[in-house]
Amino acid sequence: YQAKARGGGRLTFFDVQLRERVQRHMALEQDLRHAASKDQLWVAYQPVVDLRTERTVAAEALLRWDHPAHGAVSPGEFIPIAEESDLIQHVGAHMLRTATRQFAAERDRLELDLQLNANLSPRQLRDPQLHTVVQHALAAAELPAEALCLEITEEAIMHDPAQATWVLNELRDLGVELAIDDFGTGYSSLAQLQRLPVDTLKIDRSFVSDLGESSDREAIVTSIIAMAHSVALTVVAEGVETARQLDLLAGLGCDKVQGYYLGKPAPFDELPTRNPLLRHR
Ligand code: C2E
Ligand code: CA
Ligand code: CA
Ligand code: CA
């Protein structure tokens, strides 16, 4: 990258800012190639709580990168960088292997009947090796397939619903469960939902965050839950941060909740396994 010198060879503020952004992007991409082998990547787990039993029933695996120079780099920054190239295949496979292995060991040790939720990116969904990668991770970890739920965003599915349906069916044949992530942002119809081989729908955090402040939002969440239940899907609400949001969601018949109010993503030993709601009551 060469910063364009405007106005007689001087770099403007924007040139400098852009150059810094591009340089960070390139450096992170370079470093990410070796992050796994240098032990800089680890998996945080966030509890998913069943509203009926008030128990933790699953944990979502969220990738963390401790960069030696930049500190904690968020997945919101490095996953999109990885997604631009085949790097996501390496990072994604590494994450699955690590999470299934750690999760299987802890689950057996604690005699917990928890499910592991793991995210798949759009590019992983198009990878012909995906099926094999998932199969190998499960086998190596000795984790039963039904203990794994793979999350795929609504956007990634709706990009090419026919292709996605084919891949999801293939994954389902392995015995894993499937969830639509960030639901509500991609305009899928009930007919489309019904054709997808999925078990769970996760309502996007943006809908949950203004619950209780806007009656429009409440109406949307109500109809998403009704629609999901009409085709026998389990509903998880993401990004629950307050007692008020939790109570509203319980009143609307939401099945499960996830969010800072129940527990932040953390190392596995900090996972509140019993009843995270008790802490607040
Ligand atoms: P996501 O799959 O929608 O994950 C939920 C994100 O919301 C996580 O951010 C989580 O920390 C955050 N969150 C959970 N509860 C709350 C809450 O109550 N309030 C707020 N404000 N945020 C909450 P995180 O860990 O930074 O991950 C961001 C995104 O990066 C994820 O969004 C996912 O799309 C992606 N990602 C993370 N790990 C992986 C991975 O291993 N593979 C892939 N493909 N993507 C990943
Ligand atoms: Ca997710
Ligand atoms: Ca999500
Ligand atoms: Ca998201």
Side-chain angles (χ1 to χ4, degrees), residues 120-167:
L120 290 182
S121 79
R123 206 175 174 116
Q124 284 177 281
L125 208 60
R126 297 196 299 269
D127 176 12
Q129 295 299 314
L130 177 64
H131 179 270
T132 314
V133 168
V134 173
Q135 196 172 28
H136 284 179
L138 288 170
E142 295 183 46
L143 187 71
E146 63 272 17
L148 178 65
C149 176
L150 296 170
E151 302 188 359
I152 303 110
T153 63
E154 183 188 21
E155 201 188 336
I157 294 172
M158 290 309 150
H159 176 71
D160 186 349
Q163 155 77 5
T165 305
W166 196 84
V167 176

Side-chain angles (χ1 to χ4, degrees), residues 60 119 153 181-182 204-205 238:
E60 178 171 0
N119 294 285
T153 63
D181 203 357
D182 298 355
D204 191 65
R205 168 155 56 89
E238 318 189 282

